[in-house]
Amino acid sequence: MIKIENSIRVMAGVVALLIMAPPSAIAQEKKHAAVALEKHAAPEQVLKRAVAGKPHRLILQVNVNDPAMMNLALNNATNVAQYYKDRGEKATIEVVTFGPGLHMLRDDTSPVKARIKTIAEGNPAISFKACGNTQENMQKAENKDIALIPEATVVRSGVVRVMELQEQGWTYVRP
């Protein structure tokens, strides 16, 4: 009730200024009124206005050879993509793998390669990055070429990729 009364008072002040004040004072008072209304707005309304128009960019890190963790990362990716799609907003999501997590994108060992194929076909906003350093080390350790699934793109270093995206303002999540 107090919030409504305060809002009414602020608006009445703005109307009074519109009638009596010069244009420069009106602009200043509108700014003060907006700040006052913002103070009384619900936190979720303030948050919605703050993020409106900002790009939604998410990094999901996978660095363990655990099918449950891989599926959790894929769930996170598809849920976030669907959430913003439903709101009519764009989201870009990169799943970055390195260390033992590279098994997620290996053609010979991935327990989720069929699911990744389906996701990649249906949602181009979700991409999959494989650490080149890890791939090289696995090739040396196993004495064979390590083929990746077609949906994977090799980056020189998975850790550096995560760092650089964070430096550009991307949101980082490790499922």
Side-chain angles (χ1 to χ4, degrees), residues 9-32:
R9 285 187 190 126
V10 168
M11 295 310 291
V14 170
V15 170
L17 277 174
L18 287 172
I19 296 169
M20 300 183 294
S24 62
I26 292 171
Q28 184 121 10
E29 185 55 34
K30 280 184 181 178
K31 183 177 178 182
H32 289 294

Side-chain angles (χ1 to χ4, degrees), residues 4 6 19 24 34 39 45-47 62 69 78-79 98 104 114 117 124 133 135 142:
I4 294 172
N6 287 341
I19 296 169
S24 62
K39 286 181 182 177
Q45 291 171 330
V46 174
L47 182 60
V62 177
M69 187 65 71
T78 55
N79 289 342
F98 56 88
M104 180 179 189
K117 180 178 181 172
N133 290 334
Q135 185 184 27
E142 297 177 34

Side-chain angles (χ1 to χ4, degrees), residues 31-45:
K31 183 177 178 182
H32 289 294
V35 169
L37 287 174
E38 190 78 14
K39 286 181 182 177
H40 298 291
E44 60 273 2
Q45 291 171 330

Side-chain angles (χ1 to χ4, degrees), residues 5-120:
E5 290 173 0
N6 287 341
S7 296
I8 292 171
R9 285 187 190 126
V10 168
M11 295 310 291
V14 170
V15 170
L17 277 174
L18 287 172
I19 296 169
M20 300 183 294
S24 62
I26 292 171
Q28 184 121 10
E29 185 55 34
K30 280 184 181 178
K31 183 177 178 182
H32 289 294
V35 169
L37 287 174
E38 190 78 14
K39 286 181 182 177
H40 298 291
E44 60 273 2
Q45 291 171 330
V46 174
L47 182 60
K48 283 180 186 176
R49 285 191 290 259
V51 298
K54 286 187 129 183
H56 305 290
R57 301 172 305 181
L58 174 64
I59 313 159
L60 291 166
Q61 171 188 312
V62 177
N63 67 343
V64 293
N65 185 11
D66 176 7
M69 187 65 71
M70 294 172 189
N71 276 299
L72 180 58
L74 295 174
N75 291 345
N76 291 161
T78 55
N79 289 342
V80 168
Q82 188 62 51
Y83 176 85
Y84 286 112
K85 181 179 179 183
D86 291 347
R87 293 177 57 141
E89 299 175 32
K90 291 184 179 182
T92 305
I93 302 158
E94 280 196 17
V95 179
V96 180
T97 65
F98 56 88
L102 186 68
H103 285 279
M104 180 179 189
L105 302 180
R106 282 182 57 161
D107 194 47
D108 62 339
T109 61
S110 176
V112 292
K113 69 179 175 180
R115 187 167 179 214
I116 290 172
K117 180 178 181 172
T118 301
I119 289 169

